[in-house]
Amino acid sequence: MKVNESSENYLETILILSKKLPVVRSVDISNELGYKKSSVSVAMKNLKEKKYITVTDSGFIYLTDEGKSIANMIYERHEFISKWLISLGVDEKVATEDACRIEHVISAESFAAIKKHIKYN
């Protein structure tokens, strides 16, 4: 399940927006990320082709099971790493920005080891 960073960001954003909004549309993603609507449209087409999302005739975007799995993984990493860095004394804004970069490159093995270490110490 190798997905590029851009796709992971879009999937995570759809997940976050779906928790706040009754339905998610391309315009919502565009507003959230500050991207052009045309860029989001191309990204949604790619995510749909890869079967990570479905889009209704009304333009409502839903994560498929696979898309939701990826989004949840990235979201968990982001939340965990942000909180961990903040607990170490890193400024919240910096911690959030760093977590956003780390979440995409850390291996599942390393992330699991960090979680286990922090959980037991």
Side-chain angles (χ1 to χ4, degrees):
M1 169 168 67
K2 181 68 178 141
V3 184
N4 66 38
E5 182 175 335
S6 175
S7 294
E8 288 176 348
N9 276 333
Y10 279 111
L11 294 171
E12 181 183 24
T13 300
I14 294 166
L15 177 70
I16 291 166
L17 288 173
S18 70
K19 294 177 182 201
K20 297 191 273 188
L21 303 172
V23 292
V24 178
R25 302 164 299 149
S26 287
V27 67
D28 302 317
I29 298 165
S30 176
N31 291 337
E32 182 74 15
L33 296 174
Y35 296 166
K36 292 180 184 175
K37 291 176 189 167
S38 58
S39 298
V40 173
S41 179
V42 169
M44 293 306 105
K45 181 178 181 244
N46 291 334
L47 292 175
K48 186 177 175 186
E49 286 174 0
K50 293 176 182 173
K51 308 228 185 301
Y52 295 138
I53 63 168
T54 58
V55 182
T56 68
D57 292 339
S58 302
F60 302 152
I61 299 167
Y62 297 97
L63 294 168
T64 62
D65 288 343
E66 188 173 2
K68 191 177 288 186
S69 175
I70 295 165
N72 281 324
M73 175 193 67
I74 295 300
Y75 184 72
E76 177 195 15
R77 289 178 178 189
H78 181 87
E79 289 294 298
F80 186 89
I81 294 168
S82 293
K83 288 176 184 170
W84 177 46
L85 292 172
I86 291 166
S87 77
L88 294 174
V90 177
D91 175 77
E92 185 175 349
K93 185 176 186 303
V94 173
T96 301
E97 290 170 358
D98 286 348
C100 201
R101 288 189 292 275
I102 294 168
E103 70 195 27
H104 300 289
V105 296
I106 192 168
S107 69
E109 180 182 357
S110 293
F111 182 67
I114 291 168
K115 276 180 42 179
K116 182 179 177 185
H117 176 76
I118 291 171
K119 188 175 190 176
Y120 294 113
N121 287 324

